[in-house]
Structure formats: C-alpha cells, structure tokens
Amino acid sequence: HSVVGNFTGVNDINLIVVKCTRIEIYLLTADGLQPVSDVPIYGRIATLELFRPPGEEQDLIFLSTERYRFCVLAYDPESEELVTKAGGDLQDRIGRPTDNGQVGIIDPDCRLIGLHLYDGLFKIVPIDSSGKLHDGFNIRLEELNVISIKFLYGCAKPTIAILYQDTKSAKHIRTYSINLRDKEFESGPWDHSNLDMGANVIIPVPMPLGGAIVIGEQTIMYFDGATTSVIPIKQTITKAYGIVDPDGSRYLLSDITGTLHLLVLVHADQKVVNLKLERLGKTSVASTLSYLDNGVVYVGSSYGDSQLIRLSPTSIGNDQNNYVEVLETFVNLGPIVDFSVAELEHQGQGQVVTCSGVYADGSLRVIRNGIGINEQASVDLPGVKGMWSLRSSNDNGQQSPYDKYLLVTFVGETRVLAINEEDELEETEIAGLESEEQTLLCANVANDQILQVTPKEVRLIDASSHMLVESWQPEASSSAGGESVAINITAATCTEGQLLVAISQGQLVYIELQTSKLVIKSRATMQAEVSCLDIGPRMQEGSQQVHEPKFACLGSWDMNITVCSLPDLQIICSIPLGVDVIPRSSLICRLEGILYCMVALGDGHLFTFVVDEQNGFQLTDRKKVSLGTQPMTLELFTTNGSYHVFAGSDRPTVIYSSNKKLLYSNVNLREVSHMSPFNSEAFPECLAFIQDETMIIGTIDQIQKLHIRTIPLGEQPRRICHQKSTHTFAVCTVSTDFESTKDENEVNYVRLIDDQMFETLAKFQLDVYEHACSTLSCTFEKDEKHHYYLVGTAYAPPEEVEPTRGRILVFLVTNSNGATDLELISSKEVKGACYNLNAFNGKLLAGVNNKVQIYRWQQREEGSWEL
C-alpha cells in the first residue's frame, strides 16, 4: 500500500509506504524523498487509509492487520514519533474470511470506517464529530462474492458501491446508503447489472463530478446514475490506480504488463461527457500508484522493484510512446520462489542467487553479504610489518589535503613509496627518515612536521625541507650487575601534538610535539610490559577544535587493559581480560557520538568497551566478539564522510555503527595483515591493504550488510540450480504473452546461464502446457565423469484439475567449437507432476504426485544412457 497526505506537518507532503509489517514515512523535498521514519508493526498490514477527522490539522493513518487488529496513528512532531490514537480488535467469533482479501475504507466526510472482513458481513465503526471512534457493528450483505467496495463522494448519508459476482459469474455493481440510527442498509442512488466480465476495480470520483468508474478487461465505464460513458480498451488486467487531480478528472492506471495509462474524464458543466485513455510508458508491474507533485509518481510494486518516476509532457528518448523517466529505484527481492547458494568468486564465501519477480519483472538477484573492495592497483611487497600514509606540503608550509607518500616498513628497514607525475607508485626518499630501522609509527603532526618512531629513537622531521630537526632516545638503564641494558621503544601512538611511547620494562613516556622540539611531559612505570596503546579522544567528526587527549588505553603482557589519565599518566582503572592471549592492538574512537575503546587480541578476538566520559573515563558495557583466528590490527578510516574501523586479520572486518549499535561486516578479501587510508589525488578515498605478499590499493563499497546485483530476465524464473563443474546455472523460466489470443499464453524454457557474466548460453523450450516443477544437478553411478542437469516437469492443460503426466528430462552441458550448449540426453515419461528431484546413492529419487519413485541410470546395448 502507499498513500500521500499531510501526515508529519500541516504543509508537509508525505508518502507513506507499507511493506508487510513495516510503515515507511517519507517527506517530499526539493531534493527528492527524504526518509522520516520506519516503524515496525506487530502483524502483517492488510489495509491502509489516510483520513482527517473534524478538528484535525494533519492526516491520521488507519490500518488493520491480517489478524483483525486495527489502530489509528498520528505523528507527534515534538518527539518525532508515531502516537496511537485508537486501537482494538475487529474479530468476530464466527464468519468465513473473505476470498478477495480484507477491505478497509473510510467515508470521504469521515463519518465512519467500513470494513469487509468476512463473507456476507460489512462492519461499521462510527466516527463522531469530535473525531472519536465508537463501538463497531455488523450489517448483513446479500452479495457473497465481493470483488471491491468503495465509499462514494457527495452523498447525504454515507454510501458504498459494491462490485460483486453472482452465481452465474456475471458482474454487477450496486449502491447502498448506510442508516446509522437503525444500523441497516437502504437502497442507494443507482445500480448497474451485467458489467464487463473482467471488471475488478471501482474508482469513486470526487465532487463536483461524483459517481464512479468501473474498470474491466475490455472496457472502462463511468456512471453517476444519470449519465453513462463507456470506452473500449485493449484487453488487459488493471492492477492499480492513482488519482492525479483533487477534482478527480485524471487518473493513472497500471496493468499486469507494467504499462502506465492516463485516464481523463472529459467534462462540461460538472457533467462527464467522455472518457479518454492515453498510454504513458512502461514501469514495474504496480500494486499501488501515488501521485506526489509536479508529475512525480511513486510506483509501488510487490512484483518487482518499486520506482519513483517523473511524467514528462513530451516523449523521452527515441521512443515516441514513452513519457516516463525513472528517478529512483527501490530494490525489492520478493517474491522469491527459489534460490541457490553458490560460491561464485572463489573467496570461500557463498552467494545467494534468487529467482525474484513476477511476469516481465522477473530477474535473478545475486546477493552477497559483506563489503567489496574494488581494486585500483596492486604491487608485490613481501614481508611488510607496517604501513602509514603521509601528506606532502608545499613551499609555504601548507599541507596538501591529499596523501602523497606511503611508508612501508620491514624487519630492519623502511621504504617510502610516492605517486609520481604518471600517477604510478615508485620508490623515493625522505632525507630525514631513518631507513635502516623498522618503523613503529609514522605520521604528519602539528606545525608541518613528520614524526617517525623506531625501536631506537623518536625523530621529528620538517615536512617541507625533509631535514631532521629533533630526535630523542630512551636512556639505557643499568641492571643489577652494573652493566647497561639497551632499552627499546616497543609501541607508540600520537595525535597532532602529543606522543605516548612505551619502552621496555613497562615504562611510559608522554611527549609534547612542538615546533622542532620534543618536550617530555611525564613518565610512569606499569606493572608489566606494554603490548599496545592508544590515546584519545581524538579530533574526529564534528569536533574541529584542537583539544588535548584526556586518557590512554594500554594493553599489557599480563593480559590486562589499563586506562591512564593524561598528561600525568595516573592509572584510572585496570581490567583483567580473563584470557591467556596478549592484546595486540587498541583503538579509541567515536562512532555516532559514542566513545568506544576497542582491544584486539592475538587470537582474533575483539573486546569493545564504551568509555564513560562523565565519570572519569571508566570502561563500561564490555562485549567480546570473535572476528578471526589470527592476530588483529585496528585502524580508523573514513568513507563518505563517516568514520569506521578496519580490523585486519585472516578474516578482515569493517566495524561500523548504525542506530548506536556496533555492527560487523566481513570484507571480501582474505588475510589482510595491515591497512592504511590512502587518500591521494590519483586514488581518492582509497585504502591500502597488505594481503599475503601483495599491496592492494582500492576503494571500499558502501558500508551495508547486503549487496544485491540484478540480472533482468524479462521472464519469471521458477527454479534454479548451480553446477560447479561447468560454472553454469540451469534456470527454468516462464515467458507470459498477455497479448496473444491463444488459450495458452505461457511458454516455458530451461535456460543455461553462465555463473560469472550471467549471460544465457543456451535455452530449451518445453512443450505446450508443460511446466518445469523441479531441477537438480547430479552424477550417476557407473557414469561419474558426467555432471547432468535434471528437470522434472508436469503437463497442465486447462481441463485437468490434477496433472496426470509429466517428464524427467536429463541434460548435459556440452562444449563444441567454443560454443556451450544444453543437450537433451534422455527423457522419461512419468504419470503425474514431478514435484521433487533428489540425488540418492548414485540413483535418482523423484516425487511424482503422491508417490516417491527411485530411478537407475543405465546403458542401453548401443551405448546410449537412459533412466
């Protein structure tokens, strides 16, 4: 369902869309549709109407669910939430639910709500002048097979028009006015009998015209009791309509083929003189149409993707008959009739290929979980131990916004890669950098300087002259025997102006970075050796002012997490992790306004804590997740303006926040040991990864759980099966031709589709009235070298209630002269529909009507095979 009205504000134009159990509310703005809220409802929504009772400035939502609950919802602008105004149960103790689905309608003057839930009963919920609902009551309906019910406009008493079918399958329309006092029907202003056999839609026309339009398969009729207008149309089944003008002189109609028409009521002196129908173009097969504004229409579809389209006054493109421009598409996977799980990209991750859509909207959808990396460049680099990106600066001491250098470190040496004029990566040198040592940390810091930390020393380098301006080495300490022991830096982390280094024997040194100066602010000694550290909160989204970090988070060799205050390095709290694995990487970051502290262990586990900034940076809300089995490194990066965390290990993961919850999405790369953001002019918003012995530079897909690729077929897919050995899918499809005059307008095919490019390699047409019911890929005993596709079918001629014959078809994928074909090897007649096929110990199990049969694959005397 979809409706348009002023729901969130007096002047707001809202589109309200209902999908199964959810209500989505959008606001129409100059930039398009903006989502306002998405609300789950307990129950599948059956009917939806907008109405405005007396005294209300905004519209209210009335909805009922399939279990006969109803509610009236309003929008509260202050809390920005939906408020329930009324609710209740519509269920009756007895009654047969209607065949054609529930009907829930509201009188145009908001005097009552009418519901058709059970055959032979019409339920009425009165609304009083203050907008309150009263107890409902039932009125008996003589018409049992009701197709549609609508309220008419401009009647003194609430009046309904009923389109129904009698016992002889003839269609009639009858009107009743409702007497609220006596709780009964009175005969209405007009009736019409023997309508078009395919009549299925009533459209009530607003005043000043009044009356109703009835749409059939071959005609469109208008009556208001006094005048009747009829026009013939090309045979089709209309699925949805939408009103364009408030006075009801123009309507949009969409049929079963997805063709959009405009119906115009030509009128003079408030009387309808004629009807005109114009074709506008093709859309998805609509189940609901909502005209928004300025020619923009929402086409809601339960058969394919929903669309937002704009109607143009002149034809678009080369097609003279197309006036439809698609502005936006909303992906819809349903209805899914079958799916297959296949490993297509050989990365150890299965992808789901679904048979989705109905009629011409039929498509295959390839759905994969996780985040894809789009590779832009790669280079072989074995033995990398760390990687950082650096920005260059120009002669005025201004830093470029783009990264230019990529610093890569190995055991005992450090190399610098830079992007040259040809946008290629080549090795270069920065004079002040120590290249004969492994680097622990390298970064651009305040006052246009570069900081490098090696196990021996801290170096501060001028970014424009590349000269070393200051260095600091930890002093050697004397051991008990009086010999001096070399002391190394084991870990380091920095912000723009501060540096915290950990030295052997659990010492910490906090250093301030000034212009050409390293100023030691404080020292401390921890209980155990420090294995990883980070300081925070850092400058991040929304906080542009330079503020000093307030605390540090350390992981130590005694499996503890310690939080220290800065700059005095006093211990705030120490938390034992309760594991026997050393913390390898820690990160403090702010996601969606919440400050997190993350600690990654050497066995692929990750601890996350929420930092309580009000209570002296205590760690709360401890959680543990397993993201891999190898040591993990954590790195912050930004994409599309928001921050995420990359956890590199044997199963790399992106950690992101949605609705203030941490979510984990796997990345479609294997074994990433290091990652660094690399936002250069040649590769904007890229990331650099070290995978095995290769460095990859690539962009990251949108951060979302599911990635969906659509392969339109133009036919409805019914069954799908994957064959790994031939890298193909067998897809059984139904092509429906609504314009054919023959009895059988459906043609069934078995298509062979390539599993990489999804092109149709070959197709096999089934007989008339033959439908594919099942498909399977298997091998048989004594013939293990061939992988066969099997398709079970049924013949369904119109005169048969239950199928009495079918076939089991055996296909082999053959390759000759580079062309792939689907060869029919054997065909076996069965007595009924072959609903199910399964491989069983080298034989075949088949479910035929109500029997289970087993088949053997054997060789004839002349060498061919048969079932």
Side-chain angles (χ1 to χ4, degrees), residues 73-246:
L73 303 174
Y75 186 79
D76 180 7
E78 285 171 12
S79 64
E80 296 186 352
E81 285 182 347
L82 293 188
V83 188
T84 305
K85 288 269 194 167
D89 198 339
L90 299 164
Q91 203 160 346
D92 290 341
R93 287 210 182 140
I94 52 165
R96 179 171 174 268
T98 55
D99 289 339
N100 294 328
Q102 295 184 23
V103 176
I105 49 177
I106 297 178
D107 171 52
D109 301 327
C110 289
R111 293 170 288 195
L112 52 88
I113 299 169
L115 296 130
H116 182 50
L117 311 174
Y118 300 100
D119 281 346
L121 291 175
F122 188 70
K123 188 179 278 291
I124 286 168
V125 180
I127 306 174
D128 67 15
S129 54
S130 63
K132 279 182 105 165
L133 303 188
H134 290 268
D135 286 346
F137 56 89
N138 283 327
I139 301 181
R140 288 214 74 74
L141 261 182
E142 288 172 18
E143 295 74 29
L144 290 179
N145 192 351
V146 171
I147 294 157
S148 179
I149 304 184
K150 287 283 191 271
F151 274 109
L152 297 179
Y153 286 87
C155 302
K157 286 183 178 174
T159 303
I160 55 171
I162 301 180
L163 176 65
Y164 68 100
Q165 185 172 332
D166 65 14
T167 49
K168 299 190 178 90
S169 298
K171 302 259 177 94
H172 316 285
I173 189 167
R174 184 174 285 180
T175 58
Y176 290 114
S177 57
I178 297 165
N179 184 335
L180 279 175
R181 200 182 60 222
D182 299 340
K183 300 188 177 178
E184 62 181 20
F185 284 145
E186 296 169 351
S187 55
W190 46 267
D191 296 333
H192 241 275
S193 43
N194 297 327
L195 304 170
D196 180 339
M197 293 294 289
N200 63 340
V201 177
I202 308 178
I203 305 177
V205 180
M207 297 308 286
L209 298 173
I213 303 165
V214 176
I215 299 173
E217 289 182 11
Q218 296 168 335
T219 57
I220 295 180
M221 299 154 275
Y222 167 83
F223 355 88
D224 61 359
T227 56
T228 303
S229 293
V230 183
I231 56 164
I233 56 171
K234 198 161 116 185
Q235 179 163 358
T236 183
I237 300 172
T238 301
K239 298 294 281 184
Y241 76 89
I243 183 166
V244 178
D245 302 316

Side-chain angles (χ1 to χ4, degrees), residues 329-545:
T329 302
F330 305 91
V331 173
N332 166 27
L333 296 179
I336 298 173
V337 269
D338 195 14
F339 66 87
S340 165
V341 179
E343 191 188 313
L344 301 181
E345 290 174 6
H346 314 297
Q347 291 192 341
Q349 188 191 12
Q351 303 189 5
V352 179
V353 183
T354 67
C355 295
S356 296
V358 181
Y359 307 133
D361 284 341
S363 63
L364 296 180
R365 305 291 173 110
V366 185
I367 306 165
R368 64 181 168 80
N369 187 3
I371 294 170
I373 303 294
N374 306 314
E375 190 177 307
Q376 311 269 3
S378 70
V379 58
D380 287 340
L381 273 181
V384 174
K385 293 291 171 202
M387 175 169 60
W388 296 270
S389 56
L390 293 173
R391 295 187 298 278
S392 64
S393 65
N394 54 23
D395 307 333
N396 311 338
Q398 289 291 315
Q399 270 191 6
S400 148
Y402 293 107
D403 296 327
K404 181 174 182 193
Y405 303 108
L406 205 52
L407 184 115
V408 187
T409 187
F410 309 88
V411 175
E413 62 169 337
T414 296
R415 294 275 172 270
V416 181
L417 302 174
I419 290 196
N420 63 12
E421 303 298 316
E422 281 80 52
D423 289 343
E424 291 167 350
L425 270 179
E426 59 176 18
E427 200 169 313
T428 181
E429 283 190 354
I430 295 178
L433 283 179
E434 172 63 72
S435 58
E436 298 305 310
E437 287 281 350
Q438 179 177 340
T439 300
L440 298 175
L441 173 70
C442 190
N444 292 89
V445 291
N447 308 320
D448 196 30
Q449 301 176 108
I450 294 172
L451 171 77
Q452 183 193 19
V453 181
T454 68
K456 303 265 172 56
E457 62 178 341
V458 176
R459 301 168 71 91
L460 202 56
I461 298 146
D462 185 291
S464 36
S465 69
H466 289 186
M467 300 312 288
L468 179 70
V469 291
E470 173 81 322
S471 72
W472 172 84
Q473 293 169 339
E475 309 81 34
S477 72
S478 55
S479 65
E483 306 153 18
S484 66
V485 178
I487 285 217
N488 281 344
I489 299 174
T490 57
T493 180
C494 71
T495 60
E496 290 267 304
Q498 290 79 23
L499 167 71
L500 180 65
V501 291
I503 321 175
S504 358
Q505 300 174 356
Q507 297 178 55
L508 288 176
V509 183
Y510 185 57
I511 299 172
E512 195 165 280
L513 309 173
Q514 298 175 354
T515 309
S516 312
K517 260 196 192 152
L518 294 165
V519 182
I520 294 179
K521 285 289 191 191
S522 57
R523 293 169 181 264
T525 304
M526 294 292 131
Q527 303 283 328
E529 290 269 350
V530 175
S531 60
C532 60
L533 43 81
D534 195 26
I535 51 182
R538 297 168 177 273
M539 270 179 52
Q540 237 178 283
E541 49 195 319
S543 55
Q544 291 305 321
Q545 75 280 13

Side-chain angles (χ1 to χ4, degrees), residues 548-748:
E548 293 194 359
K550 302 284 194 303
F551 69 102
C553 170
L554 323 166
S556 54
W557 281 68
D558 59 0
M559 308 356 159
N560 279 0
I561 297 293
T562 308
V563 178
C564 297
S565 60
L566 296 180
D568 53 3
L569 292 179
Q570 295 297 315
I571 294 179
I572 295 173
C573 65
S574 182
I575 298 176
L577 290 177
V579 291
D580 48 8
V581 187
I582 298 162
R584 288 294 187 94
S585 175
S586 69
L587 178 71
I588 298 165
C589 61
R590 198 183 290 282
L591 302 175
E592 286 199 318
I594 298 174
L595 194 60
Y596 291 98
C597 175
M598 301 182 186
V599 179
L601 308 184
D603 64 353
H605 278 85
L606 175 78
F607 282 93
T608 62
F609 301 91
V610 175
V611 181
D612 188 347
E613 296 177 79
Q614 265 56 47
N615 295 332
F617 306 108
Q618 297 282 342
L619 299 185
T620 61
D621 197 16
R622 163 176 167 159
K623 289 195 174 79
K624 178 182 178 184
V625 289
S626 169
L627 297 181
T629 57
Q630 299 295 319
M632 199 179 336
T633 57
L634 299 174
E635 189 73 50
L636 195 66
F637 71 99
T638 81
T639 170
N640 299 333
S642 53
Y643 281 82
H644 311 291
V645 177
F646 187 91
S649 73
D650 58 333
R651 288 205 293 255
T653 305
V654 169
I655 306 167
Y656 62 103
S657 178
S658 172
N659 292 335
K660 311 266 177 170
K661 279 198 193 83
L662 285 184
L663 297 175
Y664 305 87
S665 215
N666 44 329
V667 176
N668 298 343
L669 281 178
R670 285 202 296 262
E671 307 232 0
V672 173
S673 53
H674 298 279
M675 189 283 284
S676 166
F678 187 54
N679 180 22
S680 63
E681 284 192 82
F683 306 113
E685 283 231 333
C686 275
L687 306 174
F689 305 92
I690 301 294
Q691 179 180 14
D692 298 333
E693 304 202 329
T694 316
M695 181 170 84
I696 297 170
I697 294 179
T699 58
I700 196 157
D701 275 352
Q702 268 187 313
I703 306 282
Q704 62 188 46
K705 279 303 237 190
L706 290 180
H707 292 261
I708 298 164
R709 180 176 152 207
T710 303
I711 296 99
L713 295 174
E715 310 175 348
Q716 179 174 346
R718 294 295 270 282
R719 294 287 177 266
I720 185 166
C721 172
H722 185 238
Q723 199 170 74
K724 201 170 175 181
S725 57
T726 58
H727 303 297
T728 57
F729 286 102
V731 182
C732 305
T733 63
V734 185
S735 174
T736 312
D737 180 12
F738 291 106
E739 295 176 6
S740 84
T741 49
K742 295 201 292 280
D743 288 351
E744 178 62 358
N745 59 359
E746 290 184 349
V747 185
N748 284 258

